[in-house]
Amino acid sequence: MKIILIGYRAAGKTTLGKLLSQRLGWPYLDVDRGIEKRSGKTITELFQEKGDTHYRDVESQIVQEMCNEDECVIAFGAGSLMREENQTTAWTDSLIVYLRAPVEELWRRIEADPGSSDTRPNLSQGGIEEVIEMLGKREPVYKACADLILDATLPPEQLADEASAAYTSKLKRDSNP
């Protein structure tokens, strides 16, 4: 089994993913970094040069490859679950953890990240309005796919404790049907 982290950009998937990876002694995989490695371009460059459909096709390939791994922590891109095929792939032998944060906190974190605009494309008009719009579309999918929803404003160590406990619990349930 693996742990998959989902949520909007700046929710803390990378921070929690690396912490869980260290604690569990598992590899940490990041769908966005996999896309960049495969394409040789930043997410923004790939999006601008090839368009949404090509980007999402590459993303689905990376999701499939990473989800074929066992005992790893995978950070999905914010939009990775918007394709049903990626939802189906994610549900196979995994614990899906949704890192949920209020719009204002997400926007604060995005603004505080100097590299955000270079690595993450605008998907609509930009700004906090984009966060509101995109989260409105994505959150129902995040909630429907999640085994566990965590408050992303809590300290990463506490989130790692809760995710680890949920993983152990699910592993016990799945091995004792």
Side-chain angles (χ1 to χ4, degrees):
M1 189 172 2
K2 62 198 135 303
I3 297 175
I4 296 175
L5 304 175
I6 62 172
Y8 199 72
R9 53 174 82 165
K13 298 181 299 284
T14 300
T15 300
L16 179 58
K18 289 178 178 178
L19 184 57
L20 280 170
S21 171
Q22 290 172 344
R23 282 190 181 189
L24 298 169
W26 291 355
Y28 168 71
L29 307 173
D30 185 302
V31 170
D32 286 348
R33 301 300 74 79
I35 293 168
E36 290 175 341
K37 186 175 179 183
R38 170 83 41 92
S39 69
K41 301 177 184 306
T42 67
I43 300 294
T44 301
E45 290 169 342
L46 184 62
F47 218 87
Q48 291 172 344
E49 292 175 19
K50 301 286 187 171
D52 183 63
T53 301
H54 176 79
Y55 172 81
R56 297 297 175 193
D57 289 345
V58 173
E59 179 180 55
S60 291
Q61 293 169 6
I62 299 298
V63 163
Q64 179 67 50
E65 290 168 15
M66 288 184 177
C67 285
N68 282 336
E69 299 295 319
D70 192 32
E71 293 190 343
C72 60
V73 179
I74 307 171
F76 271 34
S80 297
L81 285 177
M82 298 312 289
R83 278 195 171 174
E84 284 187 36
E85 67 188 273
N86 294 342
Q87 294 172 29
T88 302
T89 299
W91 283 324
T92 304
D93 196 32
S94 62
L95 173 76
I96 301 175
V97 179
Y98 170 32
L99 293 177
R100 186 171 188 224
V103 168
E104 296 77 15
E105 177 62 14
L106 293 169
W107 180 241
R108 186 192 67 71
R109 291 177 183 184
I110 290 168
E111 282 193 309
D113 180 0
S116 184
S117 61
D118 295 335
T119 59
R120 297 174 176 150
N122 283 341
L123 301 176
S124 65
Q125 71 270 21
I128 194 168
E129 294 80 15
E130 178 178 306
V131 177
I132 293 166
E133 176 189 345
M134 299 310 293
L135 193 59
K137 292 176 182 175
R138 292 174 175 175
E139 188 164 47
V141 175
Y142 295 158
K143 287 179 178 179
C145 291
D147 295 301
L148 176 65
I149 299 174
L150 296 177
D151 177 352
T153 64
L154 295 173
E157 294 76 16
Q158 184 177 343
L159 297 173
D161 290 343
E162 292 183 34
S164 296
Y167 172 80
T168 301
S169 178
K170 184 170 182 169
L171 194 59
K172 287 178 183 174
R173 278 193 318 272
D174 288 356
S175 63
N176 296 316

